[in-house]
Amino acid sequence: MMPQKLPYWLVAGVATVMLFMHAPLLVLVLFSFNDSKFSMEWKGFTGKWYERLAERQDILDGLYSSVTVGLASTLIATVLGTLMALAIARHEFRGRRMMEALLYVPIVTPEIVVGISLLIMFMAIHFPLGLGSITVAHVAFNISFVAVVVHARLQGMDRNLEEAAMILGADEITAFFRVTVPQLWPGIISGGMLAFTMSFDDYVITSFVAGTDAATLPMVIYTMVKKNIEPSINAISTVVLIATTILIFVSDRFGQEKPLKADKA
Amino acid sequence: MAGPTLRQRALRFLHDRPQLKAWALLAPGLGWLLVFFVVPLLLMFGYSFMPRNVYGGVDLGFTLENYSRFFDPLYLGIVLKTTLYAIACTALCLMFGYPVAYAIARAGRWRNFMIFLVMLPFWTSFLVRMYAMMFLMRDSGLINKTLMDLGVIETGFEMLSTPFAVLAGLIFGFLPFMVLPIYASLEKLDLSLLEAAEVLGAPPASRFFRVTLPLSMPGVVAGSLLVFIPALGSFLTSDVLGGAKEILVGNLVQNQFSSARDWPFGSAASFVMMALVLVAVSVYLRVRDAGDEMAKEAKS
């Protein structure tokens, strides 16, 4: 749409909503540098809460678990989801519409239902609970998101290029890796980034399937929030915030498309 | 001349059987979804009809009691309250989100920056965001502190564990889900239609209500679904901001699997929640299809 003068009341209203969307996080970041343990009074600038973080073994362990689970589940979900998207976008087969519908089931199912139903099954088949079961669960909810993102990208792609490659003598495998994949890459990266972020952030599903020994970073943060301990939560939250912001920038650079299309397809 | 290589033979084999190729691509992902998504849901559905075992888990048998317990006013109230919160959250997100999406679509060179601002909370840890709200609203939080410093109030008042806190948390959590789809449909809007309306003498308000708003309906409907569903299934928001007072269906479910140890009732509660989600999705599909029909008719 063309830029156009907006009425002042609308600008003011939008600015207020934007403030509501960001002020709580800004306050959190600001107070992670506050040199006071209890009061909301500003007592001067300090970096000591960040130093404390590095001393806490549970946070370091949680970070390690989250990154491990995040990488493993993203890798699996991205491969499986991309293959499913290719099948649905590029092939006619019986039950295709049903398959498309099935992809949306994990997206609309409330997290808590996903977590608990998986817990029930893991208990029933005596699947050991830990980082393994968390990874399995994260793959299960991420396949659909990757498939939907990649599918959206595939639909906007020109099939003539593949056909041209094949007329010029490439077989299907060569055409796939030399023509389809390079074009599809931004979609795969966006899907993978979405999967990693969701895995890295997830608390609800993870907390049900983690068992008693494993704890990811969100689980550690949750315990800290419930116990309401010291400004370290502000510091770790700030670290998580900055890490996610960097992730968005990176994924924005790789996936030339705006990640916008991804989330609601 | 050598015969075809293995690779060529494999490709030809698949080329002659397109169905098989499609299923080969689908199989790994579909298998994972069936085993770790569909089967657990079916198992849970089965559990919801079984008698409770006091040590957790279930006893064999069949009963409808887990569902009939929802006619107890206590649980009926929780279901009703959850639905009302989800509706209120969706309506308020629409009210706050539409103007933002509209402004972004017309922001000119600020557009990308504003999209980034909306995307930022969308990608940020939900738990961290709920904690940020708690940090502001708790008894000794910044809001109370500021009001006391300004002399508006004497002592801090309780904001957490109130419907206000939970609703504010839900809106704060899901607002980006409303803004982004509406923005996407406003961005696609054909400007010549607005110009035509202007040339024909329609005043700004009627241009908005008769052209812009109807054409952005797909975004409004999609955004509403994207807010309504997670609001209905929310657990963290009421857990962090609502305390023990504000119990939603999500908290009820969680409770049955942690302290109450009543798995069948928890399973039944989950399926009550799923039923509400299904109602929302079918309303969405109906409205969307009706919209498509109207668009087709308008074009012809």
Side-chain angles (χ1 to χ4, degrees), chain B residues 122-147:
Chain B
F122 171 80
W123 288 87
T124 303
S125 160
F126 194 79
L127 174 61
V128 165
R129 289 198 286 150
M130 289 307 119
Y131 168 68
M133 285 303 257
M134 175 180 157
F135 188 70
L136 281 182
M137 293 201 280
R138 64 182 172 205
D139 293 1
S140 58
L142 194 66
I143 296 178
N144 266 326
K145 170 87 173 49
T146 312
L147 288 176

mmCIF file of all heavy atoms in Angstrom, chain B residues 122-147:
data_model
loop_
_atom_site.group_PDB
_atom_site.id
_atom_site.type_symbol
_atom_site.label_atom_id
_atom_site.label_comp_id
_atom_site.label_asym_id
_atom_site.label_seq_id
_atom_site.Cartn_x
_atom_site.Cartn_y
_atom_site.Cartn_z
ATOM 1 N N PHE B 122 6.900 -12.498 18.900
ATOM 2 C CA PHE B 122 6.422 -13.753 18.329
ATOM 3 C C PHE B 122 7.476 -14.846 18.454
ATOM 4 O O PHE B 122 7.166 -16.005 18.709
ATOM 5 C CB PHE B 122 6.054 -13.519 16.858
ATOM 6 C CG PHE B 122 5.753 -14.758 16.075
ATOM 7 C CD1 PHE B 122 4.516 -15.356 16.172
ATOM 8 C CD2 PHE B 122 6.705 -15.311 15.229
ATOM 9 C CE1 PHE B 122 4.233 -16.508 15.450
ATOM 10 C CE2 PHE B 122 6.423 -16.450 14.509
ATOM 11 C CZ PHE B 122 5.186 -17.047 14.618
ATOM 12 N N TRP B 123 8.738 -14.479 18.288
ATOM 13 C CA TRP B 123 9.806 -15.469 18.343
ATOM 14 C C TRP B 123 10.381 -15.625 19.754
ATOM 15 O O TRP B 123 11.199 -16.497 19.993
ATOM 16 C CB TRP B 123 10.958 -15.071 17.403
ATOM 17 C CG TRP B 123 10.645 -15.222 15.958
ATOM 18 C CD1 TRP B 123 10.046 -14.291 15.161
ATOM 19 C CD2 TRP B 123 10.912 -16.345 15.107
ATOM 20 N NE1 TRP B 123 9.929 -14.787 13.881
ATOM 21 C CE2 TRP B 123 10.449 -16.030 13.818
ATOM 22 C CE3 TRP B 123 11.515 -17.593 15.317
ATOM 23 C CZ2 TRP B 123 10.556 -16.908 12.743
ATOM 24 C CZ3 TRP B 123 11.621 -18.459 14.252
ATOM 25 C CH2 TRP B 123 11.140 -18.122 12.981
ATOM 26 N N THR B 124 10.004 -14.747 20.654
ATOM 27 C CA THR B 124 10.603 -14.773 21.989
ATOM 28 C C THR B 124 9.949 -15.824 22.869
ATOM 29 O O THR B 124 8.745 -16.045 22.780
ATOM 30 C CB THR B 124 10.437 -13.400 22.656
ATOM 31 O OG1 THR B 124 11.033 -12.420 21.815
ATOM 32 C CG2 THR B 124 11.118 -13.360 23.996
ATOM 33 N N SER B 125 10.732 -16.427 23.726
ATOM 34 C CA SER B 125 10.240 -17.445 24.645
ATOM 35 C C SER B 125 8.967 -17.003 25.369
ATOM 36 O O SER B 125 8.921 -15.946 25.995
ATOM 37 C CB SER B 125 11.328 -17.750 25.664
ATOM 38 O OG SER B 125 10.768 -18.357 26.796
ATOM 39 N N PHE B 126 7.930 -17.814 25.252
ATOM 40 C CA PHE B 126 6.647 -17.508 25.863
ATOM 41 C C PHE B 126 6.774 -17.433 27.383
ATOM 42 O O PHE B 126 6.211 -16.561 28.042
ATOM 43 C CB PHE B 126 5.633 -18.576 25.461
ATOM 44 C CG PHE B 126 4.218 -18.203 25.755
ATOM 45 C CD1 PHE B 126 3.530 -17.348 24.919
ATOM 46 C CD2 PHE B 126 3.569 -18.707 26.875
ATOM 47 C CE1 PHE B 126 2.222 -16.995 25.189
ATOM 48 C CE2 PHE B 126 2.260 -18.359 27.158
ATOM 49 C CZ PHE B 126 1.582 -17.505 26.310
ATOM 50 N N LEU B 127 7.554 -18.358 27.937
ATOM 51 C CA LEU B 127 7.751 -18.381 29.389
ATOM 52 C C LEU B 127 8.407 -17.091 29.875
ATOM 53 O O LEU B 127 7.977 -16.495 30.867
ATOM 54 C CB LEU B 127 8.616 -19.603 29.751
ATOM 55 C CG LEU B 127 9.058 -19.739 31.199
ATOM 56 C CD1 LEU B 127 7.860 -19.866 32.121
ATOM 57 C CD2 LEU B 127 9.985 -20.940 31.358
ATOM 58 N N VAL B 128 9.438 -16.645 29.148
ATOM 59 C CA VAL B 128 10.126 -15.408 29.522
ATOM 60 C C VAL B 128 9.150 -14.227 29.467
ATOM 61 O O VAL B 128 9.133 -13.363 30.340
ATOM 62 C CB VAL B 128 11.344 -15.157 28.599
ATOM 63 C CG1 VAL B 128 11.840 -13.730 28.725
ATOM 64 C CG2 VAL B 128 12.450 -16.144 28.903
ATOM 65 N N ARG B 129 8.282 -14.231 28.454
ATOM 66 C CA ARG B 129 7.344 -13.121 28.344
ATOM 67 C C ARG B 129 6.327 -13.126 29.487
ATOM 68 O O ARG B 129 5.933 -12.080 29.985
ATOM 69 C CB ARG B 129 6.643 -13.164 26.989
ATOM 70 C CG ARG B 129 7.614 -12.793 25.882
ATOM 71 C CD ARG B 129 6.903 -12.416 24.637
ATOM 72 N NE ARG B 129 6.343 -13.585 23.983
ATOM 73 C CZ ARG B 129 5.249 -13.548 23.259
ATOM 74 N NH1 ARG B 129 4.588 -12.423 23.128
ATOM 75 N NH2 ARG B 129 4.808 -14.634 22.692
ATOM 76 N N MET B 130 5.881 -14.321 29.881
ATOM 77 C CA MET B 130 4.944 -14.383 30.996
ATOM 78 C C MET B 130 5.631 -13.932 32.288
ATOM 79 O O MET B 130 5.051 -13.263 33.127
ATOM 80 C CB MET B 130 4.384 -15.800 31.169
ATOM 81 C CG MET B 130 3.421 -16.204 30.076
ATOM 82 S SD MET B 130 2.088 -15.003 29.864
ATOM 83 C CE MET B 130 2.340 -14.494 28.183
ATOM 84 N N TYR B 131 6.904 -14.300 32.414
ATOM 85 C CA TYR B 131 7.643 -13.844 33.588
ATOM 86 C C TYR B 131 7.769 -12.325 33.582
ATOM 87 O O TYR B 131 7.645 -11.678 34.634
ATOM 88 C CB TYR B 131 9.029 -14.505 33.651
ATOM 89 C CG TYR B 131 9.922 -13.868 34.672
ATOM 90 C CD1 TYR B 131 9.641 -14.001 36.034
ATOM 91 C CD2 TYR B 131 11.004 -13.083 34.293
ATOM 92 C CE1 TYR B 131 10.432 -13.372 36.983
ATOM 93 C CE2 TYR B 131 11.795 -12.454 35.231
ATOM 94 C CZ TYR B 131 11.510 -12.596 36.577
ATOM 95 O OH TYR B 131 12.277 -11.973 37.501
ATOM 96 N N ALA B 132 7.987 -11.757 32.386
ATOM 97 C CA ALA B 132 8.106 -10.296 32.291
ATOM 98 C C ALA B 132 6.828 -9.618 32.797
ATOM 99 O O ALA B 132 6.878 -8.607 33.504
ATOM 100 C CB ALA B 132 8.398 -9.885 30.846
ATOM 101 N N MET B 133 5.675 -10.202 32.458
ATOM 102 C CA MET B 133 4.401 -9.653 32.930
ATOM 103 C C MET B 133 4.300 -9.767 34.441
ATOM 104 O O MET B 133 3.847 -8.860 35.133
ATOM 105 C CB MET B 133 3.230 -10.413 32.309
ATOM 106 C CG MET B 133 2.969 -10.081 30.876
ATOM 107 S SD MET B 133 2.661 -8.332 30.628
ATOM 108 C CE MET B 133 0.908 -8.325 30.430
ATOM 109 N N MET B 134 4.734 -10.915 34.968
ATOM 110 C CA MET B 134 4.680 -11.130 36.404
ATOM 111 C C MET B 134 5.571 -10.124 37.128
ATOM 112 O O MET B 134 5.199 -9.569 38.161
ATOM 113 C CB MET B 134 5.144 -12.562 36.685
ATOM 114 C CG MET B 134 5.250 -12.919 38.131
ATOM 115 S SD MET B 134 5.821 -14.635 38.227
ATOM 116 C CE MET B 134 6.521 -14.630 39.845
ATOM 117 N N PHE B 135 6.732 -9.873 36.544
ATOM 118 C CA PHE B 135 7.703 -8.949 37.110
ATOM 119 C C PHE B 135 7.094 -7.545 37.235
ATOM 120 O O PHE B 135 7.330 -6.826 38.201
ATOM 121 C CB PHE B 135 8.936 -8.922 36.191
ATOM 122 C CG PHE B 135 10.111 -8.165 36.738
ATOM 123 C CD1 PHE B 135 10.817 -8.665 37.822
ATOM 124 C CD2 PHE B 135 10.518 -6.975 36.163
ATOM 125 C CE1 PHE B 135 11.906 -7.980 38.321
ATOM 126 C CE2 PHE B 135 11.607 -6.283 36.669
ATOM 127 C CZ PHE B 135 12.304 -6.790 37.747
ATOM 128 N N LEU B 136 6.277 -7.183 36.250
ATOM 129 C CA LEU B 136 5.633 -5.872 36.288
ATOM 130 C C LEU B 136 4.478 -5.826 37.274
ATOM 131 O O LEU B 136 4.261 -4.831 37.959
ATOM 132 C CB LEU B 136 5.079 -5.518 34.901
ATOM 133 C CG LEU B 136 6.027 -5.005 33.849
ATOM 134 C CD1 LEU B 136 5.237 -4.679 32.590
ATOM 135 C CD2 LEU B 136 6.742 -3.762 34.340
ATOM 136 N N MET B 137 3.714 -6.937 37.327
ATOM 137 C CA MET B 137 2.425 -6.878 38.023
ATOM 138 C C MET B 137 2.439 -7.357 39.467
ATOM 139 O O MET B 137 1.453 -7.187 40.169
ATOM 140 C CB MET B 137 1.383 -7.687 37.239
ATOM 141 C CG MET B 137 1.042 -7.073 35.908
ATOM 142 S SD MET B 137 -0.543 -7.636 35.262
ATOM 143 C CE MET B 137 -0.099 -9.189 34.578
ATOM 144 N N ARG B 138 3.538 -7.986 39.897
ATOM 145 C CA ARG B 138 3.453 -8.536 41.248
ATOM 146 C C ARG B 138 3.377 -7.427 42.299
ATOM 147 O O ARG B 138 3.607 -6.253 41.996
ATOM 148 C CB ARG B 138 4.612 -9.481 41.522
ATOM 149 C CG ARG B 138 5.961 -8.834 41.511
ATOM 150 C CD ARG B 138 7.019 -9.900 41.748
ATOM 151 N NE ARG B 138 8.327 -9.334 41.550
ATOM 152 C CZ ARG B 138 9.384 -10.049 41.218
ATOM 153 N NH1 ARG B 138 9.282 -11.350 41.026
ATOM 154 N NH2 ARG B 138 10.554 -9.479 41.080
ATOM 155 N N ASP B 139 3.065 -7.826 43.531
ATOM 156 C CA ASP B 139 2.784 -6.845 44.575
ATOM 157 C C ASP B 139 3.886 -5.797 44.707
ATOM 158 O O ASP B 139 3.622 -4.623 44.919
ATOM 159 C CB ASP B 139 2.592 -7.553 45.930
ATOM 160 C CG ASP B 139 1.326 -8.399 45.910
ATOM 161 O OD1 ASP B 139 0.661 -8.412 44.851
ATOM 162 O OD2 ASP B 139 1.016 -9.044 46.922
ATOM 163 N N SER B 140 5.149 -6.253 44.594
ATOM 164 C CA SER B 140 6.253 -5.306 44.716
ATOM 165 C C SER B 140 6.790 -4.928 43.340
ATOM 166 O O SER B 140 7.914 -4.459 43.214
ATOM 167 C CB SER B 140 7.371 -5.947 45.551
ATOM 168 O OG SER B 140 7.792 -7.152 44.938
ATOM 169 N N GLY B 141 5.982 -5.169 42.309
ATOM 170 C CA GLY B 141 6.446 -4.925 40.944
ATOM 171 C C GLY B 141 6.465 -3.464 40.563
ATOM 172 O O GLY B 141 6.086 -2.584 41.339
ATOM 173 N N LEU B 142 6.904 -3.228 39.327
ATOM 174 C CA LEU B 142 7.127 -1.855 38.878
ATOM 175 C C LEU B 142 5.846 -1.028 38.854
ATOM 176 O O LEU B 142 5.847 0.154 39.204
ATOM 177 C CB LEU B 142 7.762 -1.871 37.487
ATOM 178 C CG LEU B 142 8.347 -0.524 37.041
ATOM 179 C CD1 LEU B 142 9.520 -0.127 37.911
ATOM 180 C CD2 LEU B 142 8.760 -0.579 35.592
ATOM 181 N N ILE B 143 4.730 -1.650 38.471
ATOM 182 C CA ILE B 143 3.480 -0.889 38.384
ATOM 183 C C ILE B 143 3.077 -0.384 39.766
ATOM 184 O O ILE B 143 2.825 0.813 39.972
ATOM 185 C CB ILE B 143 2.354 -1.752 37.770
ATOM 186 C CG1 ILE B 143 2.714 -2.112 36.335
ATOM 187 C CG2 ILE B 143 1.022 -1.021 37.833
ATOM 188 C CD1 ILE B 143 1.714 -3.002 35.646
ATOM 189 N N ASN B 144 3.055 -1.299 40.735
ATOM 190 C CA ASN B 144 2.701 -0.900 42.097
ATOM 191 C C ASN B 144 3.674 0.127 42.653
ATOM 192 O O ASN B 144 3.290 1.102 43.286
ATOM 193 C CB ASN B 144 2.682 -2.132 43.009
ATOM 194 C CG ASN B 144 1.281 -2.707 43.117
ATOM 195 O OD1 ASN B 144 0.309 -1.958 43.092
ATOM 196 N ND2 ASN B 144 1.183 -4.016 43.214
ATOM 197 N N LYS B 145 4.959 -0.119 42.412
ATOM 198 C CA LYS B 145 6.006 0.774 42.913
ATOM 199 C C LYS B 145 5.813 2.185 42.359
ATOM 200 O O LYS B 145 5.868 3.176 43.096
ATOM 201 C CB LYS B 145 7.363 0.178 42.488
ATOM 202 C CG LYS B 145 8.568 1.050 42.685
ATOM 203 C CD LYS B 145 9.126 0.876 44.090
ATOM 204 C CE LYS B 145 10.436 1.618 44.270
ATOM 205 N NZ LYS B 145 10.433 2.995 43.825
ATOM 206 N N THR B 146 5.583 2.276 41.049
ATOM 207 C CA THR B 146 5.414 3.578 40.419
ATOM 208 C C THR B 146 4.184 4.291 40.977
ATOM 209 O O THR B 146 4.242 5.482 41.309
ATOM 210 C CB THR B 146 5.271 3.411 38.894
ATOM 211 O OG1 THR B 146 6.296 2.542 38.441
ATOM 212 C CG2 THR B 146 5.392 4.740 38.188
ATOM 213 N N LEU B 147 3.077 3.546 41.096
ATOM 214 C CA LEU B 147 1.851 4.159 41.610
ATOM 215 C C LEU B 147 2.048 4.654 43.034
ATOM 216 O O LEU B 147 1.551 5.715 43.421
ATOM 217 C CB LEU B 147 0.695 3.156 41.548
ATOM 218 C CG LEU B 147 0.172 2.845 40.148
ATOM 219 C CD1 LEU B 147 -0.905 1.776 40.204
ATOM 220 C CD2 LEU B 147 -0.346 4.096 39.459
#
